[in-house]
């Protein structure tokens, strides 16, 4: 079998990291059992009337991994490869990451198996609304709060929030985060995942006494998180030598400026009022073109993975020449590949810390919505920086003290918080 897993093994692979953590921090029987499987998994069929009058039915899921620290929280993904296994795994990672950065949330995730780029804008809107109708019974500000993920953005969240308001016969802005600011979305949410990843990189670089100007970065991906990370990292002085998307990669030794690349890539989108941008980074002028996966093997200081899960696996991990890895996507390195990197002494700044900027600002959006407030963007960004600094330092220090990887330190930190809450809730939790 190739080292690149299909989704069938994804959850087992993700869950395998738990056992080591349970032993290391002494998690007892009840909590172990509770944490090994999701608490609720809903499969739905979403019928969509197509523009030509025909009906298509798309399979979808919403999984709540747990609601121990608070309501389930996590995005909704529209992608042709979505499966129940994938959504379950992603909900597990949400549960861990919310605990790692001390948010009062459990983990959740949703997905629809669809190629959204094949749909017209109206078909996409019907799909978004249909999905909310299908899962509305398990949603709500105190139960489960969806947000954007791969191929879903503020526009899609706006439609979903509107549909939920219709069903609730009132305004419930805190039921969904990542909305457009005009509908109660938080300022700073769109750039938050990229901004958060940059903070984590900066904090690590400062500990290593590494200057941004002396640091080269290759970025796999050029979606929302990757683009904002690239833009802000470039502003900060890091040298972005390569970026890629599903169609290919581009390279420049001197460094790329992400803004003109995005300009060129989205030029046609503005002309056609599309929700997605179909052009590739490869249309950029005056840069060297690479095969898409060549980017993963470049000799750089930091390889930032901002596309999908399972990108570095058993078969390609030995070709990775980067001196450090930054996980902006969820689960981009398999556990076997992770062990190999650890043995080689290549530090990995793990997803459950490095990509939490998005969910942290989602939490701020939820707080603003519940209190009827609107915070200035600087206020949102300052709170994000402060939380990430506090939680990252705890993890860096723990990793040093216990002589373990950053990922293990982050998992121990997060699982400890969840396990403590399970214990404190007492012995009769079987009715939840
Ligand atoms: N989809 C994002 C993630 O994987 C954000 C989730 C949220 O804001 O709830 O972290």
């Amino acid at each position: 079998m190739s080292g690149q897993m299909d989704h069938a093994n994804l959850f087992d692979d993700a869950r395998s990291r738990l056992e080591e953590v349970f032993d290391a921090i002494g998690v007892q029987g009840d909590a172990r059992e509770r944490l090994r499987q999701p608490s609720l998994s809903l499969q739905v069929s979403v019928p969509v009337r197509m523009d030509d009058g025909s009906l298509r039915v798309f399979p979808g899921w919403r999984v709540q991994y747990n609601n121990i620290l608070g309501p389930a929280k996590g995005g909704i993904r529209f992608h042709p490869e979505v499966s129940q296994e994938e959504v379950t795994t992603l909900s597990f990672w949400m549960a861990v990451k919310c605990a790692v950065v001390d948010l009062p949330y459990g983990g959740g995730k949703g997905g629809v198996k669809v190629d959204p780029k094949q749909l017209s804008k109206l078909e996409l809107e019907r799909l978004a609304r249909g999905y909310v109708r299908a899962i509305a019974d398990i949603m709500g500000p105190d139960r489960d709060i969806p947000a954007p993920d791969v191929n879903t953005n503020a526009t899609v969240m706006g439609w979903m929030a509107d549909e939920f308001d219709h069903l609730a016969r009132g305004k419930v802005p805190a039921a969904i985060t990542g909305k457009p600011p005009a509908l109660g979305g938080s300022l700073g949410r769109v750039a938050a995942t990229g901004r958060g990843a940059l903070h984590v990189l900066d904090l690590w670089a400062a500990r290593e006494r590494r200057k941004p100007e002396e640091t080269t970065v290759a970025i796999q991906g050029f979606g929302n998180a990757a683009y904002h990370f690239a833009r802000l990292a470039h502003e900060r002085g890091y040298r972005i030598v390569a970026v890629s998307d599903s169609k290919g990669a581009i390279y420049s030794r001197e460094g790329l400026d992400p803004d003109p690349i995005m300009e060129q890539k989205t030029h046609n989108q503005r002309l056609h009022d599309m929700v997605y941008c179909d052009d590739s980074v490869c249309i950029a002028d005056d840069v060297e073109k690479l095969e898409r996966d060549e980017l993963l093997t470049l000799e750089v200081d930091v390889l930032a993975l901002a596309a999908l899960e399972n990108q570095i696996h058993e078969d390609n991990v030995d070709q990775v020449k980067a001196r450090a890895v930054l996980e902006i996507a969820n689960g981009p390195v398999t556990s076997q590949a992770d062990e190999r990197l650890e043995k080689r002494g290549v530090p990995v700044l793990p997803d459950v810390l490095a990509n939490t900027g998005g969910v942290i600002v989602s939490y701020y959006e939820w707080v603003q919505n519940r209190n009827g407030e609107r915070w200035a963007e600087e206020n949102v960004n300052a709170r994000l920086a402060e939380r990430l600094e506090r939680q990252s330092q705890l993890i860096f220090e723990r990793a040093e003290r216990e002589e373990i990887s950053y990922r293990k330190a982050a998992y121990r930190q997060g699982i400890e918080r969840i396990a403590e809450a399970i214990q404190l809730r007492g012995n009769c939790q079987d009715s939840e």
Side-chain angles (χ1 to χ4, degrees), residues 42 44 46 58-63 75-79 82-83 86-87 90 109-114 131:
L42 180 67
V44 298
V46 188
F58 298 96
W61 295 268
R62 182 74 189 173
V63 178
I76 296 163
R77 171 173 299 202
F78 288 173
H79 194 275
V82 163
S83 66
E86 185 195 38
V87 177
L90 289 161
K109 201 77 173 200
V112 178
K113 186 173 166 60
V114 58
Y131 178 75

Side-chain angles (χ1 to χ4, degrees), residues 62 72-77 90 93-94 97-98 103 105 108-109 145-150 152 177-178 189 193 328-330 351 355-363 365:
R62 182 74 189 173
K73 183 85 193 81
I76 296 163
R77 171 173 299 202
L90 289 161
W93 284 324
M94 284 308 304
K97 81 167 95 153
C98 289
L103 299 178
Y105 287 143
K109 201 77 173 200
I145 308 134
D149 197 73
V150 173
T152 57
T177 61
R189 175 63 183 84
T193 308
I328 304 181
N330 291 305
D351 50 2
N355 74 21
T356 53
V359 70
I360 291 173
V361 175
S362 273
Y363 165 61
E365 181 169 328

Side-chain angles (χ1 to χ4, degrees), residues 168-336:
R169 301 236 168 247
K171 296 278 179 271
V172 198
I176 291 183
T177 61
K179 303 177 294 294
L183 298 181
S186 179
L187 297 174
R189 175 63 183 84
V190 173
T193 308
R195 185 180 294 279
L198 178 62
H199 281 314
V200 174
L201 176 62
D202 264 346
L203 291 163
W204 171 78
R207 282 180 80 87
E208 300 289 307
R209 299 183 201 299
R210 172 180 274 291
K211 295 202 178 72
E213 313 77 66
E214 293 160 4
T215 307
T216 54
V217 185
I219 308 172
Q220 186 201 32
F222 209 61
N224 181 56
Y227 163 66
H228 288 286
F229 169 75
R231 176 178 69 77
L232 295 164
H234 173 75
E235 255 172 41
R236 186 92 179 83
Y238 289 92
R239 187 142 55 93
I240 313 293
V241 293
V243 299
S244 69
D245 57 24
S246 57
K247 298 185 182 120
I250 52 176
Y251 175 81
S252 160
R253 244 177 97 82
E254 290 68 47
L256 299 161
D257 181 353
D259 271 331
I261 300 169
M262 192 47 124
E263 274 288 302
Q264 290 188 40
K265 187 173 143 84
T266 51
H267 176 71
N268 288 332
Q269 183 185 15
R270 281 197 301 277
L271 294 180
H272 296 111
D273 182 34
M274 285 156 20
V275 177
Y276 301 111
C277 153
D278 242 2
D279 275 325
S280 167
V281 291
C282 303
I283 66 167
D285 305 321
D286 303 328
V287 288
E288 198 180 318
K289 311 280 185 302
L290 303 178
E291 289 298 315
R292 188 190 63 185
D293 290 346
E294 266 182 272
L295 178 138
L296 301 174
T297 62
L298 291 173
E299 202 170 322
V300 286
D301 294 309
V302 177
L303 173 62
L305 300 167
L308 290 168
E309 56 271 14
N310 280 343
Q311 300 302 298
I312 303 296
H313 44 78
E314 235 188 326
D315 291 348
N316 66 4
V317 63
D318 293 334
Q319 277 102 62
V320 171
K321 296 186 212 66
R323 279 170 275 277
V325 174
L326 175 69
E327 294 186 332
I328 304 181
N330 291 305
V333 177
T334 68
S335 59
Q336 277 172 333

